[in-house]
């Protein structure tokens, strides 16, 4: 049994939810999302995972994006914000997440 494989499956299954939770709080740019995820080893991800996911969420109209100028001559940053459709999707995901947590607690006998 390889615990790393299991952790990878958890990461894949929850990354979209985690990103939407972050963006729900305030708009974020891509690198900022990567840095925040890096704070939690179980959900850390690479650019090659995050940016395609962000593009898909944009395409599905769960997110919008806008370019904003950076301070001190740095290149502009692309910020992502959640849409009303994205809010509804996040609410549905949160409901399912709560059902999952409840089921796991029951199975653990808690």
């Amino acid at each position: 049994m390889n615990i790393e494989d299991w952790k990878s499956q958890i990461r894949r299954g929850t990354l979209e939810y985690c990103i939407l939770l972050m963006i729900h709080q305030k708009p974020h740019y891509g690198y900022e999302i990567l840095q925040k995820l890096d704070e939690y080893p179980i959900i850390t991800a690479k650019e090659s995972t995050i940016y395609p996911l962000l593009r898909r969420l944009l395409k599905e109209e769960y997110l919008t994006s806008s370019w904003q100028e950076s301070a001190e001559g740095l290149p502009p940053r692309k910020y992502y914000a959640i849409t009303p459709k994205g809010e509804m999707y996040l609410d549905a995901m949160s409901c399912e997440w709560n059902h999952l947590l409840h089921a796991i607690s029951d199975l653990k006998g808690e």
Side-chain angles (χ1 to χ4, degrees), residues 17-28 36 40 80-82 87 90:
Y17 182 50
C18 294
I19 289 170
L20 287 172
L21 286 169
M22 289 171 45
I23 295 173
H24 171 74
Q25 293 175 13
K26 71 177 183 77
H28 284 73
K36 185 66 173 174
Y40 309 96
Y80 298 89
I82 197 163
E87 293 280 356
L90 180 58

Side-chain angles (χ1 to χ4, degrees), residues 28-35 50-51 54 78-80:
H28 284 73
Y29 57 94
Y31 185 69
E32 185 179 30
I33 293 168
L34 286 164
Q35 287 180 311
I50 297 300
Y51 288 106
L54 289 169
K78 188 176 192 177
Y79 278 81
Y80 298 89

Side-chain angles (χ1 to χ4, degrees), residues 46-63:
K46 297 179 181 178
E47 288 181 33
S48 60
T49 301
I50 297 300
Y51 288 106
L53 177 54
L54 289 169
R55 281 192 297 274
R56 183 175 59 75
L57 292 170
L58 281 168
K59 183 179 178 184
E60 293 174 352
E61 300 179 348
Y62 296 135
L63 298 178

Side-chain angles (χ1 to χ4, degrees), residues 58-73:
L58 281 168
K59 183 179 178 184
E60 293 174 352
E61 300 179 348
Y62 296 135
L63 298 178
T64 60
S65 65
S66 61
W67 289 95
Q68 295 182 17
E69 292 297 322
S70 299
E72 302 173 17

Side-chain angles (χ1 to χ4, degrees), residues 5-21 42-45 49 53 56 89 93-94 96-97 100:
D5 290 343
W6 185 72
K7 286 169 46 178
S8 176
Q9 292 296 321
I10 290 172
R11 187 177 307 112
R12 276 187 230 136
T14 58
L15 199 52
E16 181 174 329
Y17 182 50
C18 294
I19 289 170
L20 287 172
L21 286 169
I42 191 70
I43 56 171
T44 192
T49 301
L53 177 54
R56 183 175 59 75
Y89 183 48
M93 291 175 87
S94 292
E96 295 304 318
W97 183 259
L100 175 63

